[in-house]
């Protein structure tokens, strides 16, 4: 029985009692003393009635005060419970809907008044123990780790402990402590089962679970009504009391009608939340935003710490900005080595292709001003950042903001956001953008250092080409691609002829320069997606995907001519030149792994180089008959008769042989 009904009953009883006594007194006076004496009792009766009315009015006032205080207390509890749920990124309707489900289900199963009151209060406070769970666990978008999951399980006991400090007359505390127990005994905190679980806790478990399933959570989207019903049916007899579950589902439409009438439906709640996006007075939204910001910064620091590649870092950076700061385009500029201009190295949103080609000189435009002054700019004309050649972007955006990126005290670039929907970027936008950018700048700086260190580790310092380690990594990528597509690729081994003579004649500095020049000449003959590395010494290796033996023969001819045409000027008219011998092996025909393929290409090259030397020996002897016989035997494999560029192509590889007579052109030095 509620408080208003008690006071109404007392008021009616007092009124009837006083009226009865007055009538009795008047009747007795009239009977014993006549009408005259009876009139004496009339003022007393009226006075008593007026005193009664005054007393009743006082009681009604007190009752109204008590009811008002009780209502305020209940609304305070509801507001605090909603604030707690907001930390868990749950909307304002959760506790009220859970309360309606729980109270109405309790009424349907015939609970006593004190149990109904326990459900009314307990449904509002059932998650108060989440105050003891860290925000980054509550807001985690993915699955919890086993340790994190165990941490969440303390909320029911912590909640009960908090409420033990309050003298609740109803069984609120056990309702909250045990609402996570399961019918089959697999729940927590004590592993109770079936009837040993308090009846109010079993009812709250069903109400809380259904509303949670129907609401968005950080780790999943809301379930449909039908899927949520199926989940409850599936768990009836396992997680939930089977009898109560069926009663709940039987009357669900009735419960939801009451919820809809109060404007708490799931669709309506979503619309209300959307309408509140621009209202800074909505405390639920503000708590959610504050908690989401804290979690985002935590995740940002953790993910940036794990990210070493700069492209991953930049993608993460712009993604986190989008969570809090609206933009149509976000561009990240990094300064060049001379700190005179900055290029866009990452863009997200509209016109990313055009932005990726942008270069801004320090001091020019809004972003250039930021790079020069190291100061934030906001709500300036975005057209300042676009040249006349980008007229299609002029007037596209209505406002922009740009912030410097500083790592270890050094300016490394800027981040700029452009919007066509906002009139201005608010101070709150800039505050959040500044916070995220400060963390990101350190990560970008470290990623740059890592990429530079990795580039040095994978680059030959003499030629600037990839080194042997980089070659092996690229080989593995080509193998994976070839295996997926059922295709193949060629491994081309290139060995310089006469390089030792260059070193011996002119010194190692000239030899180093020759290697660098030859590397660039070879690279110039390759396609954009071919791969060239300096393998070691005077050897280079190229990986040629999607090429037939005929294609590679043509490539080898072009490389041979380009290398032979290279004349490195030493002094005056003194020049040095080298030749090149080439051999190839085809994947997968010549081997299954890197070592086998390199060995096959290398063997083919040296086999042909040895054969050429034998021909030259025969030529020097001058035995033409012997030479003709030697060439004839070798030509049986299908080679052409042109010794200036003999070629053999086969499934085992191919070789281009070069005449070494032109290797050194330096005052007849050979």
């Amino acid at each position: 029985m509620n408080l208003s009904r008690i006071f109404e009953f007392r008021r009616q009883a007092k009124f009837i009692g006083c009226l009865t006594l007055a009538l009795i007194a008047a009747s007795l006076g009239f009977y014993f003393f006549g009408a005259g004496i009876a009139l004496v009792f009339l003022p007393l009766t009226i006075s008593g009635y007026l005193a009664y009315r005054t007393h009743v009015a006082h009681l009604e006032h007190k009752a109204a005060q008590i009811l008002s205080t009780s209502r305020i207390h209940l609304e305070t509890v509801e507001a605090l419970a909603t604030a707690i749920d907001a930390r868990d990124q749950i909307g304002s309707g959760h506790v009220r809907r859970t309360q309606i489900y729980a109270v109405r289900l309790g009424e349907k199963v015939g609970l006593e008044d004190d149990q109904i009151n326990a459900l009314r209060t307990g449904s509002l406070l059932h998650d108060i123990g989440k105050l003891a769970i860290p925000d980054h666990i509550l807001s985690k978008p993915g699955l919890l780790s086993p340790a994190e999951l165990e941490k969440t399980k303390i909320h029911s006991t912590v909640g009960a402990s908090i409420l033990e400090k309050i003298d609740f007359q109803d069984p609120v505390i056990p309702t909250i402590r045990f609402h996570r127990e399961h019918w089959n005994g697999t729940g927590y905190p004590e592993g109770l089962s079936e009837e040993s679980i308090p009846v109010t806790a079993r009812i709250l478990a069903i109400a809380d679970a259904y509303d949670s399933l129907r609401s968005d959570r950080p780790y999943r989207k809301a379930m449909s009504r039908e899927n949520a019903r199926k989940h409850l049916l599936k768990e009836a007899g396992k997680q939930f009391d089977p009898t109560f579950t069926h009663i709940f589902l039987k009357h669900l439409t009735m419960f939801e009608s009451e919820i809809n009438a109060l404007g708490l439906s799931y669709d309506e709640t979503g619309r209300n939340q959307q309408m509140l996006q621009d209202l800074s007075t909505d405390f639920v939204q503000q708590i959610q935003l504050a908690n989401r910001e804290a979690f985002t910064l935590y995740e940002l620091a953790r993910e940036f710490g794990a990210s070493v590649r700069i492209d991953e870092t930049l993608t993460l950076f712009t993604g986190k900005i989008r969570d809090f700061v609206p933009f149509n385009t976000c561009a990240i500029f990094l300064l060049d080595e001379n700190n005179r201009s900055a290029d866009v190295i990452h863009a997200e949103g509209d016109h990313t292709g055009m932005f990726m080609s942008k270069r801004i000189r320090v001091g020019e435009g809004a972003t250039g001003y930021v790079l020069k002054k190291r100061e934030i700019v906001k709500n300036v004309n975005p057209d300042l950042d676009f040249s006349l050649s980008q007229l299609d972007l002029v007037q596209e955006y209505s406002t922009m903001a740009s912030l410097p990126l500083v790592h270890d005290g050094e300016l490394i670039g800027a981040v700029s956001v452009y919007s066509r929907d906002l009139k201005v970027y608010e101070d709150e936008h800039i505050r959040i953008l500044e916070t995220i950018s400060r963390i990101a700048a350190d990560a970008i700086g470290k990623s740059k250092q890592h990429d530079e260190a990795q580039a040095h580790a994978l680059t030959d310092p003499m030629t600037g080409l990839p080194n042997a380690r980089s070659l092996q990594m690229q080989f593995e990528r080509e193998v994976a691609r070839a295996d997926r597509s059922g295709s193949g690729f060629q491994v081309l081994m290139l060995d310089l002829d006469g390089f030792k003579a260059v070193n011996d004649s002119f010194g190692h500095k000239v030899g180093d320069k020759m290697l660098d020049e030859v590397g660039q000449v070879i690279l110039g003959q390759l396609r954009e997606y071919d791969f060239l590395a300096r393998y070691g010494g005077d050897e280079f290796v190229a990986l040629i995907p999607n090429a037939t033996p005929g294609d590679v023969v043509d490539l080898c001819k072009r490389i041979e001519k380009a290398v032979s045409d290279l004349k490195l000027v030493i002094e005056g008219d003194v020049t040095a030149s080298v030749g090149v011998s080439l051999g190839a092996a085809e994947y997968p025909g010549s081997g299954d792994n890197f070592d086998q393929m390199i060995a096959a290409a290398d063997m083919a090259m040296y086999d042909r180089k040895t054969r050429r030397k034998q021909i030259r020996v025969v030529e020097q002897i001058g035995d033409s008959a012997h030479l003709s016989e030697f060439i004839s035997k070798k030509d049986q494999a299908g080679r052409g008769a042109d010794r200036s560029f003999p070629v053999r192509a086969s499934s085992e590889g191919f070789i281009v042989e070069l005449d070494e007579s032109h290797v050194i052109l330096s005052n007849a030095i050979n």
Side-chain angles (χ1 to χ4, degrees):
M1 185 177 295
N2 60 42
L3 192 61
S4 61
R5 291 174 61 190
I6 292 173
F7 277 104
E8 178 64 19
F9 175 78
R10 291 178 63 184
R11 187 186 68 80
Q12 293 175 358
K14 285 179 181 277
F15 174 75
I16 293 171
C18 290
L19 184 59
T20 301
L21 288 174
L23 290 174
I24 291 173
S27 298
L28 290 175
F30 180 79
Y31 178 78
F32 288 106
F33 305 105
I37 298 299
L39 291 175
V40 176
F41 287 95
L42 184 59
L44 295 176
T45 301
I46 294 173
S47 177
Y49 174 74
L50 292 175
Y52 160 74
R53 289 297 302 271
T54 302
H55 178 69
V56 167
H58 179 71
L59 288 177
E60 288 176 345
H61 177 69
K62 288 294 184 183
Q65 285 184 325
I66 294 172
L67 287 173
S68 177
T69 302
S70 177
R71 177 183 56 79
I72 292 172
H73 286 170
L74 195 62
E75 290 178 353
T76 301
V77 169
E78 181 180 344
L80 291 176
T82 300
I84 293 168
D85 277 344
R87 293 179 64 247
D88 200 7
Q89 302 299 301
I90 299 173
S92 58
H94 171 63
V95 292
R96 286 287 288 115
R97 288 191 299 265
T98 301
Q99 183 187 59
I100 292 170
Y101 288 138
V103 170
R104 296 297 175 258
L105 178 56
E107 292 172 350
K108 292 298 179 184
V109 301
L111 296 188
E112 300 293 335
D113 286 344
D114 62 338
Q115 294 173 315
I116 295 295
N117 287 330
L119 288 174
R120 182 174 287 108
T121 304
S123 57
L124 296 180
L125 296 173
H126 67 282
D127 281 337
I128 192 173
K130 287 182 178 179
L131 290 170
I133 301 176
D135 290 341
H136 68 86
I137 295 179
L138 289 176
S139 301
K140 186 174 181 178
L143 294 176
L144 298 180
S145 68
E148 290 170 335
L149 185 60
E150 287 302 313
K151 183 65 176 178
T152 65
K153 292 181 179 180
I154 69 171
H155 83 277
S156 57
T157 53
V158 170
S161 298
I162 292 173
L163 297 180
E164 283 174 349
K165 305 297 182 181
I166 304 171
D167 185 21
F168 280 105
Q169 299 300 314
D170 303 318
V172 174
I173 294 174
T175 302
I176 292 174
R177 185 187 300 277
F178 300 116
H179 79 281
R180 286 293 188 170
E181 298 286 4
H182 290 180
W183 183 258
N184 61 6
T186 61
Y188 60 88
E190 297 183 11
L192 304 180
S193 63
E194 299 187 3
E195 302 292 338
S196 63
I197 306 171
V199 63
T200 51
R202 282 180 272 152
I203 288 176
L204 178 57
I206 296 171
D208 181 39
Y210 180 78
D211 189 72
S212 297
L213 293 171
R214 295 284 281 116
S215 307
D216 284 335
R217 292 300 173 92
Y219 49 89
R220 61 158 173 78
K221 290 294 184 181
M223 278 190 187
S224 66
R225 182 180 189 272
E226 185 59 29
N227 287 339
R229 292 180 74 259
K230 289 179 179 178
H231 179 82
L232 259 62
L233 282 173
K234 178 184 175 183
E235 293 299 318
K238 292 186 289 186
Q239 182 175 351
F240 308 119
D241 183 317
T243 302
F244 291 170
T245 301
H246 286 88
I247 295 174
F248 176 81
L249 294 176
K250 179 180 178 181
H251 295 90
L252 180 58
T253 301
M254 181 189 303
F255 302 159
E256 290 177 332
S257 295
E258 181 178 349
I259 286 172
N260 295 339
L262 293 172
L264 295 171
S265 67
Y266 300 100
D267 293 339
E268 188 70 25
T269 301
R271 286 196 294 270
N272 288 342
Q273 289 298 102
Q274 185 65 35
M275 291 169 60
L276 291 170
Q277 287 300 310
D278 298 325
L279 298 179
S280 60
T281 56
D282 178 56
F283 78 93
V284 175
Q285 184 199 15
Q286 291 303 308
I287 293 173
Q288 288 178 326
L289 287 175
N291 192 59
R292 187 153 60 95
E293 178 183 340
F295 176 74
T296 296
L297 296 179
Y298 164 80
E299 284 289 286
L300 198 62
R302 184 181 64 83
E303 292 174 6
F304 275 159
S307 176
V308 293
R309 292 179 51 187
I310 193 166
D311 56 340
E312 293 178 351
T313 300
L314 297 174
T315 301
L316 177 63
F317 181 25
T318 53
K320 294 302 181 184
I321 292 175
R322 185 180 286 280
D323 286 345
F324 291 95
V325 181
F327 64 77
N328 292 103
T329 306
C330 178
I332 300 174
F333 298 79
L334 285 191
L335 287 167
D336 60 16
E337 295 180 355
N338 298 319
N339 292 338
R340 294 177 180 174
S341 62
D343 294 312
V344 175
I345 61 167
H346 184 79
E348 183 172 327
D350 300 337
H351 309 296
T352 54
M354 186 171 295
F355 270 87
M356 287 300 294
S357 64
K358 282 186 65 61
R359 169 173 288 184
I360 289 184
R361 293 182 60 83
V362 173
E364 294 183 356
T367 302
Y369 178 87
V370 171
L371 294 171
K372 182 177 181 179
K373 297 294 186 178
R374 295 177 61 163
E375 296 177 359
I376 299 172
V377 299
K378 66 174 183 175
N379 302 324
V380 298
N381 188 352
D383 298 351
L384 297 172
D385 266 2
F386 306 117
S387 64
L388 292 177
S389 62
Q390 298 170 320
L391 289 176
D392 50 344
L393 290 183
V394 175
Q395 306 301 324
E396 171 84 11
Y397 302 101
S398 59
T399 190
M400 70 164 290
S402 183
L403 290 84
L405 297 175
V406 180
H407 169 60
D408 285 346
E410 297 292 330
L411 181 70
I412 61 174
V415 55
S416 298
V417 289
Y418 307 83
S419 176
R420 61 171 174 264
D421 302 319
L422 294 179
K423 292 182 179 180
V424 294
Y425 278 105
E426 303 288 351
D427 290 341
E428 183 69 4
H429 292 139
I430 302 303
R431 182 191 67 79
I432 295 175
L433 184 57
E434 188 176 13
T435 302
I436 297 175
S437 297
R438 187 165 53 248
I439 299 174
D442 288 335
I444 292 171
K446 291 176 182 177
S447 295
K448 282 186 61 181
Q449 293 172 355
H450 176 270
D451 283 2
E452 290 169 359
Q454 188 176 49
H456 289 313
L458 299 176
T459 302
D460 172 50
M462 186 180 300
T463 63
L465 294 173
N467 58 18
R469 180 184 175 190
S470 181
L471 170 66
Q472 188 161 2
M473 293 170 61
Q474 182 65 23
F475 176 86
E476 297 299 332
R477 287 192 284 268
E478 289 294 341
V479 167
R481 181 195 60 78
D483 290 346
R484 285 195 307 268
S485 61
S487 59
F489 62 94
Q490 303 282 349
V491 176
L492 187 63
M493 175 70 74
L494 306 95
D495 183 67
L496 300 187
D497 298 323
F499 178 72
K500 183 176 182 301
V502 173
N503 270 336
D504 292 344
S505 301
F506 306 111
H508 290 287
K509 287 187 177 180
V510 173
D512 293 347
K513 185 171 179 58
M514 177 64 78
L515 285 175
D516 183 29
E517 295 285 342
V518 169
Q520 295 305 310
V521 165
I522 297 172
L523 193 63
Q525 300 302 314
L526 300 179
R527 298 167 299 183
E528 185 176 331
Y529 51 86
D530 294 333
F531 184 87
L532 178 67
R534 183 189 176 201
Y535 188 58
D538 60 353
E539 291 182 327
F540 298 83
V541 172
L543 303 180
I544 316 296
N546 303 322
T548 65
D551 294 332
V552 179
V553 168
D554 179 67
L555 172 63
C556 291
K557 290 180 180 180
R558 289 188 283 106
I559 291 175
E560 187 274 339
K561 183 178 186 307
V563 172
S564 65
D565 289 345
L566 173 64
K567 303 296 187 291
L568 185 64
V569 177
I570 307 300
E571 184 179 1
D573 61 348
V574 178
T575 61
S577 179
V578 294
V580 62
S581 295
L582 303 97
E586 183 178 8
Y587 179 87
S590 301
D592 297 328
N593 56 50
F594 179 78
D595 291 337
Q596 291 176 356
M597 292 294 296
I598 291 294
D602 193 61
M603 183 179 298
M605 181 192 65
Y606 275 101
D607 175 64
R608 292 303 178 178
K609 183 176 286 194
T610 300
R611 179 176 176 278
R612 181 176 57 244
K613 290 180 179 180
Q614 291 173 342
I615 292 176
R616 294 186 63 190
V617 169
V618 172
E619 287 177 331
Q620 292 174 357
I621 293 174
D623 186 346
S624 58
H626 188 187
L627 176 61
S628 299
E629 179 183 358
F630 181 82
I631 294 176
S632 176
K633 291 179 179 179
K634 297 299 181 181
D635 284 346
Q636 291 176 3
R639 297 173 56 236
D642 183 4
R643 283 193 301 112
S644 66
F645 200 89
V647 176
R648 182 182 71 178
S650 72
S651 61
E652 298 178 354
F654 57 84
I655 280 299
V656 177
E657 299 179 30
L658 303 180
D659 184 357
E660 290 185 348
S661 61
H662 68 283
V663 167
I664 299 294
L665 301 177
S666 176
N667 294 336
I669 295 176
N670 188 3

